[in-house]
Structures are given as structure tokens and as C-alpha cells.
Amino acid sequence: MSVKAAVLGYGVVGSGVVELFYKNKKSIEKRAGKEMEIKYILDLRDFPDSPFRDKLTKDFNDILNDDEVTVVAECMGGVEPAFTFVKSCLEKGKSVSTSNKELVAEKGDILLKTAKEHNCNFFFEASVGGAIPIIRPLHKCLAANDISKVAGILNGTTNFILTKMYNDNMPFDKALSLAQELGYAEKDPTADVEGHDACRKICIISSLVYGKHVYPKSVYTKGISDLELCDVESAEVLGYAIKLIAQVTHLADGRILPTVMPMLVSFDNIISGVSDVFNTVMVYGDGIDQAMFYGRGAGKLPTASAVLGDMINSVQHDNTVDSQYWESSSDDSFIASADELKGRWYFRLPAGTEFAGEGSYSSENGVSYVTEEELTFAEAKAKAVEMGALAFLPVLE
Amino acid sequence: MSVKAAVLGYGVVGSGVVELFYKNKKSIEKRAGKEMEIKYILDLRDFPDSPFRDKLTKDFNDILNDDEVTVVAECMGGVEPAFTFVKSCLEKGKSVSTSNKELVAEKGDILLKTAKEHNCNFFFEASVGGAIPIIRPLHKCLAANDISKVAGILNGTTNFILTKMYNDNMPFDKALSLAQELGYAEKDPTADVEGHDACRKICIISSLVYGKHVYPKSVYTKGISDLELCDVESAEVLGYAIKLIAQVTHLADGRILPTVMPMLVSFDNIISGVSDVFNTVMVYGDGIDQAMFYGRGAGKLPTASAVLGDMINSVQHDNTVDSQYWESSSDDSFIASADELKGRWYFRLPAGTEFAGEGSYSSENGVSYVTEEELTFAEAKAKAVEMGALAFLPVLE
């Protein structure tokens, strides 16, 4: 008998899951080792012209109470009702794969625990980096490593905007409008440009790598909306691209330091070449030294590809718990303050400032340079005030 | 009771496996979900000063006949006796993880079948791309994709040499000597510089992605030993880096076309920025569009990291077959001839050749250009003869 699946939410990602499933059904079944069928699609809207209209239901209970359904894809987004639906499915032993980063960042620990208790799987490869395989490689392939740092470009919208600022000298506002025109940015772009989306993703990575749930509210998050074009230009002259970097560092005392900030990335670092809507994740470990993952971080089929990969894995691991696991965290004492972030810093001082440092760049917009010494964020802030800096940004080390 | 493991071969990789295991034992056991111990290390040599000398044995039967040993790492290299040892272990239900690309490229189908028949696993993440997670992501995360092409830099030695030729205008011979001095190239560098090593790896990727065993002898393989510095320079002026690219393309008629050749890679392609001993694999699929993996393709700890990741997975999947699978192939009719390889081509014609094409570059070494139209390898060869070309190379599309 074939495995019966359900898709919750028939928006961009959910419809992509259905489309890609039926396009590659034969090879998907070969890899899963069993025949598969999508039995239900949950959505409150009507899709009278959809070829899959006979699978559509508005009642979640149709899915929950159908014992034939053992594999579920959650593509609704948002915490509720997704959380309630996913938890109920897991409690019935149905494995769930999700693309919902908000859900995982807020409730991942609870859902992983529920899955484990009911001998099924909660997978979320699609929640970070879209099509890029990163969750499973971190969990499985790099499992032998002591991971010292993960740093990446985890938001395609801001990377598109930064690429336009860099390549075409387009100011932030204009680049954002273009991103909206092209459908890369939402009408309300706050979650992307202020870094909240990247923050959720680095929370998921941090929780996975260090084994304790990291909540978005514990992570210092700064977006790119007040980034000036002249800093992008100065950074280029100094040998850097500015990228919105979400990173987490493992400190010597065992605490972790996750941040989301625009950072200068040296042209010698391959991350600097990741442009447009592409995402990337760089992992630093004692075994691997460094490994990088790159691809489309969003979009209908790329995200669907990741959800389906997880669904196939659920079928392969029927009645075996293969999913990653992390503990709940009752406080955030294991998370260091962003003030402790240490590295070199970029400063732009007012034009005409007399400055004796080497390798500085002067223009009508000011005198820019990168410090040779490493400073903490707290020290850099104090220095910026002292020197009347017009801008200062960390360098990705 | 703890899981008992054995390591076959105490050379660079094998000693790395032991070292990294004991360094990160606690976190490895946490991820594996069980306590683990290395009980035996097989090597014919004596290591009187090794802290692990009490684990060393010269007799493979100690390992084979010890039913406590359920997890084995094969790090000996070469087809024999590795093949006999690995097969015997699998027949006894012991899961094996290997870094041995020669073994997998020549005998992968047989060993996968043996593992399946005996309800254990044969893993080989370390055999391609060293530390880079690529086998599991291809098998698991990208399982929903129809993969149209995989292309990569799969040999670090040649990439180091090409980087030296490109960055420092160092001729091939001198760059090779430097690579040998630094320990990146063997005394007999044939397997690396002539592309045989990259060939074995693209065979493994091709077998995995397309489900049928691809033997090295079926793959057109050309190395970099006759690459001239002036072509590296001309390519740069035209906007390309020359890289040794191992790739496999899925043709419309279902056949596959694997090749190993030096190719021009546009600076717009992120692969062009992969330098020194780093490796990369780019995967093109209908869901993901493209995804790239990057990291150290060789070395003691990077390779050990991949072997250990597989060993952890073996422990997690005790008595479950989680490994990939492909069929044996009785003939190579599913593999197209390299003559069918289609794309644009780089030509260098004798200096002074009158040439009306746009965007050509003239120097004392000749007139170089890249064709606008796509040609097959067969057509390009004919054209090269007709025009008296001094060099011609394909462009990675």
C-alpha cells in the first residue's frame, strides 16, 4: 500500500511541493523505497481550477483523523495555527516536514520532543537556506566536529539589495523598491530588511549545533535599512563587500554568541562572491576547517525541494526517530551579549579628519579604514563616540 | 554496552579518525546516542610510540571474528586488500565507512549490494570531496530533484597548481614542484595531474545520482599536464579562470555524459573563485536550480571528519539500511561519448591569424577567443584542425 501524505497550506511553497512531487513522482518513490500519494491539501481558500481540487480540504481534522496519512508537509507559515496542527500530527505519530522558520525558531524544542515521544520525525531542512542542504549536513555529516563558528548570508532579499547597492551604486530605498517589483521583497519588508528573518534562521542553526533552544529575542539583530551607499563604496575600495551576516560563535567558556549584523567580508573570503538572492552558510570546525553551502535560499521549487527531501526521509525512517534534537532552555545565560563580539572594525570618520592610520580611504563622505587590532563591540562603540564616527561596522573574521 | 569500532589502516586518514574520535568523543557519543570505543586499529606496521598501540593488530581476523565490533572504518586505500576486507565485514553485518574512492569507483555496486543483503550500511561520504558533505546531501536532501548536471572541482592538487599558474604566472612544472614540496602532490603525481583521481570521484557521483555503476574506464579524462601558462593568461583577459572540471550531464535521451577536462569557468560563476586546495561541487536540479558545496577535499582531519560522520550514522542506524544504492552495469551503453559534449569553446590560433570575431585577445602567443555558438567536442576538434589551433578548451556552461 502506498504511503499517504498531506500538505498543509497551498500557497507558494505548498503548491510547489505538490507540483514537484507529481513531476518527479517516479524517482521520488524509487528513493523513498515505497509508492507515495498526496491524499490531502489543506487550505481555507478555494481553488476551483486546480487539477488537485479533489484533494483540497478546509478541515484539518480530515487529515488528523485519517490514520492512513503518515507523512505531513507544513507550509502555512507563522506560529499559529501551524504549531497546533504540527503538534497534533506528531502526537498521532505522523512525521512532519516544515519550511516554517518562525515555527522552528519559536517552538522547535517542543516539537522535537513531541516527535521523539511519539516515535516519529520532525524535519525542517527547508526552514534555513531554502534549497541548500544545511540542517542535515550539520546534524549528520559534520557530527564529529567541534564547531567553532557558523556564519552565513541567510536572507536573499537583503543580499539582492546589497548586490544592487554594490554593483549599480543604487541607494537602499531604490534597491528595495526594485526588489519589491521583482517579487523578492514583501510589501512590508520589515522582517527581511531589519534582519528578523535571518535571526530566526541563525536561531535554528544555533539550537541545532549547540543543543539548546535559542530564541530570536536573545539574539542581537541589526538590519541594513540605515546602511549608506558611501559605506558600500568605501568598503569596496578597502577590499571588502558588505553583507548581512548571521553568525554564531562558540566562545572558549562554552557560551555562544549569535548575532545578525551587516559586516565587511574580505574579497579573499568566498562568501563575498555570493550575490543576488543566493544564500550561503559557512561552517568552521576542528575536523573540516571550513565548509560552505550555497544556493537559492527561497522560492517555490527550491523550498519545495527541501520539504520533499525531508518527506522522503520520513518515509525511509518510518517508525525510527532520525531527527535532530535539542533541549529546551529556561534562561539565556548560555548566550553572550553582542557587546563581547570581537574582531576588526570598519570606521568612517568625518571628511577632513586627520588620520595617521595606514590604508585609509578619503572621499567627500569621510575617511574610512579598518582597524588592525581586534576590538569588542563595546570597545568599538566607545571608540566610535570618541572619534565622532559617521559609521562603523564589524569585519567578518 | 558501548559500540565497538575498528579502523583499518593507520596512515594519514586512519590516524586522523582515531585522533578526532578521541578529541570529540563526548559530543560524538551524544550525537550517536550511544557510547563508542575504538577496539582495534589494523596496520602491518609497528607504532611502538603510539598511545593507541594496545589497539593495534596486524591480523584482520581479530576484527572480523570479534562479534562485538559492529562499526568499521576503512582507510587503507587501493582496491585490494580493502575490497576483500570490506566485503567480509559487511557479510558479517558490520557497517563500513570508507574514504577509499578507488574502492567505491571500482566496486561500489557490489559492496552496496552486500551491505543491503546483510542489513548493514556501506557509507563513503569521505571518498568524494573530503570534508565536504556531498554524498548524503545528494542522496537525501536533493532526492526530490531531477538532477540535470553535477560539476565540480574534485581534486585539490590540480586546483592548487592552477591557482599558482593563475595568481603567480607560475608554469605548470614549477607549480607542481611547489605542490610536491608542500605535500599537496605525491612523488608520482600522475593520478592527480592526469585527472584519474577526479575521474574516480565523478564516477561515484554519477553512479549515485543516476543509479547505475559508472566505471572510470568509461569516462573521458584529460588532466592539466599540458596546459600552457599563456592559455591561463588569455582566459583571464577573456573573463575566465581555467579549472579542472569533473562533470556529469543528464542528456535528454536518458544517457549520461561524464567527463574530466580543464575548462574555462566564467568569473560570473562562483566556481571560478574556488582556489588553492579547496574543492567544490555544484549540483543543478529542477527543484533547487543550483546548489554548491565547498570545502577541503583532502587532508587528515577533514577526511577523518567525513569518515566519523558516517560512523556516527552507522551507530544511529544499527540494523537499518540507510545507505544509498545503485545497480551494477553490464555495459556502458547508457554513457554518451565525450564527442557529444556540447558548449562554447575557447580557441587559441597562431599569432597573426586574421580573425574577425569579436572580443578576441591577441598576444605574441596567439589570438584567443571564445565561440559564441555551441559546438560538440567532435565539431570543436574538427574546427581546431581546420584553423590550425594551438589550443582549445571547453567552457563550463
Side-chain angles (χ1 to χ4, degrees):
Chain A
M1 203 189 63
S2 68
V3 173
K4 299 291 188 295
V7 177
L8 312 185
Y10 199 51
V12 174
V13 177
S15 64
V17 169
V18 176
E19 179 184 327
L20 196 62
F21 174 78
Y22 282 104
K23 181 164 188 274
N24 296 335
K25 188 166 184 286
K26 230 172 119 179
S27 64
I28 287 171
E29 288 173 331
K30 200 175 163 192
R31 291 196 182 259
K34 286 182 192 155
E35 287 187 11
M36 287 175 71
E37 196 57 66
I38 293 176
K39 190 169 178 182
Y40 300 100
I41 301 168
L42 178 74
D43 207 293
L44 293 177
R45 295 167 291 182
D46 289 305
F47 297 89
D49 301 328
S50 164
F52 305 109
R53 58 188 173 275
D54 57 317
K55 301 180 188 298
L56 277 151
T57 173
K58 295 181 186 183
D59 186 359
F60 171 66
N61 289 313
D62 286 350
I63 295 164
L64 186 67
N65 297 325
D66 188 335
D67 290 341
E68 266 195 357
V69 175
T70 54
V71 172
V72 176
E74 187 275 303
C75 312
M76 301 190 297
V79 174
E80 281 295 354
F83 175 65
T84 305
F85 287 3
V86 170
K87 195 158 181 285
S88 322
C89 286
L90 295 171
E91 283 166 351
K92 286 234 175 185
K94 302 178 198 293
S95 288
V96 179
S97 310
T98 185
S99 57
N100 186 338
K101 56 227 164 196
E102 215 177 330
L103 177 68
V104 184
E106 294 292 348
K107 304 284 185 185
D109 55 338
I110 301 170
L111 295 172
L112 285 166
K113 200 174 162 212
T114 309
K116 203 175 176 184
E117 285 169 0
H118 294 84
N119 205 28
C120 58
N121 285 292
F122 177 58
F123 289 131
F124 45 88
E125 184 63 71
S127 68
V128 182
I132 310 173
I134 175 67
I135 299 296
R136 186 162 289 111
L138 270 174
H139 173 53
K140 291 277 186 180
C141 310
L142 309 179
N145 283 263
D146 181 7
I147 292 176
S148 54
K149 184 158 97 168
V150 182
I153 297 171
L154 296 178
N155 179 270
T157 308
T158 45
N159 206 38
F160 176 84
I161 292 171
L162 290 171
T163 303
K164 283 290 153 193
M165 292 175 79
Y166 178 86
N167 283 350
D168 305 333
N169 296 319
M170 201 182 272
F172 172 80
D173 291 340
K174 221 179 134 191
L176 171 59
S177 301
L178 180 62
Q180 286 171 320
E181 267 171 48
L182 294 172
Y184 295 151
E186 312 265 342
K187 236 182 186 172
D188 175 0
T190 314
D192 289 322
V193 301
E194 300 306 344
H196 305 315
D197 175 76
C199 173
R200 287 174 195 137
K201 292 167 179 167
I202 199 68
C203 284
I204 297 172
I205 287 178
S206 304
S207 305
L208 177 64
V209 172
Y210 300 112
K212 267 191 148 175
H213 195 102
V214 175
Y215 289 96
K217 64 179 164 48
S218 309
V219 179
Y220 178 86
T221 301
K222 187 167 166 27
I224 62 164
S225 58
D226 61 359
L227 188 66
E228 290 187 53
L229 201 50
C230 65
D231 288 310
V232 174
E233 289 165 359
S234 303
E236 183 182 358
V237 175
L238 297 170
Y240 301 85
I242 297 181
K243 297 288 182 186
L244 183 64
I245 300 293
Q247 69 168 14
V248 59
T249 311
H250 201 192
L251 303 181
D253 62 9
R255 289 176 307 155
I256 63 169
L257 175 41
T259 52
V260 177
M261 293 169 87
M263 294 179 101
L264 273 70
V265 184
S266 163
F267 291 141
D268 292 338
N269 187 329
I270 193 167
I271 294 179
S272 69
V274 175
S275 318
D276 294 317
V277 295
F278 284 92
N279 283 20
T280 191
V281 182
M282 183 77 92
V283 184
Y284 302 81
D286 58 350
I288 52 166
D289 181 24
Q290 50 179 271
M292 191 185 89
F293 305 82
Y294 161 95
R296 291 200 179 269
K300 181 177 177 169
L301 293 184
T303 310
S305 158
V307 174
L308 275 167
D310 278 349
M311 291 170 74
I312 293 168
N313 208 33
S314 294
V315 174
Q316 291 169 333
H317 288 90
D318 189 22
N319 287 320
T320 326
V321 180
D322 187 48
S323 42
Q324 42 284 71
Y325 186 72
W326 62 71
E327 290 168 23
S328 298
S329 55
S330 51
D331 63 60
D332 60 5
S333 60
F334 65 105
I335 298 174
S337 154
D339 279 342
E340 299 185 41
L341 180 73
K342 202 165 180 180
R344 291 173 302 140
W345 291 77
Y346 161 92
F347 286 94
R348 179 162 53 87
L349 310 177
T353 302
E354 276 194 45
F355 174 72
E358 263 183 64
S360 65
Y361 165 68
S362 294
S363 76
E364 56 181 335
N365 297 307
V367 182
S368 305
Y369 76 109
V370 168
T371 63
E372 276 182 30
E373 75 278 22
E374 298 206 330
L375 303 171
T376 64
F377 193 3
E379 289 164 345
K381 274 188 272 192
K383 191 175 171 121
V385 170
E386 182 196 321
M387 300 195 302
L390 303 170
F392 73 111
L393 292 165
V395 172
L396 179 68
E397 301 293 354
Chain B
M1 204 188 62
S2 69
V3 172
K4 299 291 189 295
V7 177
L8 313 185
Y10 199 50
V12 174
V13 177
S15 63
V17 168
V18 176
E19 178 185 330
L20 196 62
F21 174 77
Y22 283 105
K23 179 163 189 273
N24 296 335
K25 188 166 185 286
K26 227 172 122 179
S27 65
I28 287 172
E29 288 174 329
K30 199 174 164 191
R31 291 194 182 262
K34 283 181 193 154
E35 287 186 12
M36 287 175 72
E37 198 55 68
I38 293 176
K39 190 168 177 183
Y40 300 101
I41 301 167
L42 178 74
D43 206 294
L44 293 178
R45 295 167 290 180
D46 289 306
F47 297 89
D49 301 328
S50 165
F52 305 109
R53 57 186 174 279
D54 57 318
K55 300 179 188 298
L56 277 151
T57 173
K58 294 181 187 184
D59 186 357
F60 171 66
N61 288 314
D62 286 350
I63 295 164
L64 187 67
N65 297 326
D66 187 335
D67 290 342
E68 265 195 357
V69 175
T70 54
V71 172
V72 176
E74 187 276 303
C75 311
M76 302 191 297
V79 175
E80 281 297 354
F83 175 64
T84 304
F85 287 2
V86 171
K87 194 157 181 287
S88 322
C89 286
L90 295 171
E91 283 166 352
K92 287 234 176 186
K94 302 178 197 295
S95 288
V96 178
S97 309
T98 185
S99 58
N100 186 337
K101 57 227 165 196
E102 215 177 330
L103 176 68
V104 184
E106 293 293 348
K107 304 285 187 185
D109 55 338
I110 300 170
L111 295 171
L112 286 167
K113 201 175 162 212
T114 308
K116 204 177 174 183
E117 284 169 0
H118 294 85
N119 204 29
C120 59
N121 286 292
F122 178 58
F123 290 130
F124 45 88
E125 184 62 71
S127 68
V128 181
I132 310 173
I134 176 66
I135 299 296
R136 186 163 289 109
L138 270 174
H139 173 54
K140 291 277 186 181
C141 310
L142 309 179
N145 284 263
D146 181 7
I147 292 177
S148 54
K149 184 156 97 170
V150 182
I153 297 172
L154 296 179
N155 179 271
T157 309
T158 45
N159 205 38
F160 175 83
I161 292 172
L162 291 171
T163 302
K164 284 289 154 195
M165 291 176 80
Y166 178 86
N167 283 351
D168 304 333
N169 296 319
M170 201 182 272
F172 172 80
D173 290 340
K174 219 178 136 191
L176 171 59
S177 301
L178 180 62
Q180 285 170 321
E181 266 171 51
L182 294 172
Y184 295 153
E186 312 266 342
K187 238 184 188 173
D188 175 0
T190 315
D192 289 323
V193 301
E194 299 306 345
H196 304 316
D197 175 76
C199 173
R200 288 174 194 137
K201 293 166 179 169
I202 199 67
C203 284
I204 297 172
I205 287 178
S206 303
S207 305
L208 177 64
V209 172
Y210 300 112
K212 268 190 148 176
H213 196 103
V214 175
Y215 289 97
K217 64 180 165 48
S218 309
V219 178
Y220 177 86
T221 300
K222 187 167 165 30
I224 62 165
S225 58
D226 62 359
L227 188 67
E228 291 189 51
L229 201 51
C230 66
D231 288 310
V232 174
E233 289 165 1
S234 302
E236 182 181 359
V237 175
L238 297 170
Y240 300 85
I242 297 182
K243 296 290 182 186
L244 183 64
I245 299 292
Q247 68 168 13
V248 58
T249 311
H250 202 192
L251 303 181
D253 62 10
R255 291 177 305 155
I256 64 169
L257 175 40
T259 52
V260 177
M261 293 170 87
M263 295 180 98
L264 272 70
V265 183
S266 163
F267 291 141
D268 292 338
N269 187 329
I270 192 165
I271 294 179
S272 69
V274 175
S275 319
D276 295 316
V277 295
F278 283 93
N279 283 19
T280 191
V281 182
M282 182 78 90
V283 183
Y284 303 81
D286 58 350
I288 52 167
D289 182 23
Q290 50 178 272
M292 192 184 90
F293 305 82
Y294 161 94
R296 290 198 179 269
K300 180 176 177 170
L301 293 184
T303 311
S305 158
V307 174
L308 274 167
D310 279 349
M311 291 170 75
I312 293 169
N313 209 34
S314 293
V315 174
Q316 290 168 333
H317 287 92
D318 188 23
N319 287 319
T320 325
V321 181
D322 187 49
S323 43
Q324 42 284 73
Y325 187 71
W326 63 71
E327 289 167 25
S328 298
S329 55
S330 50
D331 64 61
D332 60 4
S333 60
F334 66 104
I335 298 174
S337 154
D339 279 342
E340 298 184 43
L341 179 73
K342 203 166 179 178
R344 291 173 301 141
W345 292 77
Y346 162 91
F347 286 95
R348 178 162 54 87
L349 310 177
T353 303
E354 277 193 46
F355 174 72
E358 265 183 61
S360 65
Y361 166 66
S362 295
S363 75
E364 55 181 333
N365 296 307
V367 182
S368 305
Y369 74 109
V370 168
T371 64
E372 277 181 28
E373 76 277 22
E374 298 206 332
L375 303 170
T376 63
F377 194 2
E379 289 164 346
K381 275 188 271 193
K383 192 175 170 119
V385 171
E386 182 195 322
M387 299 196 302
L390 303 170
F392 73 110
L393 291 164
V395 173
L396 178 68
E397 302 291 354

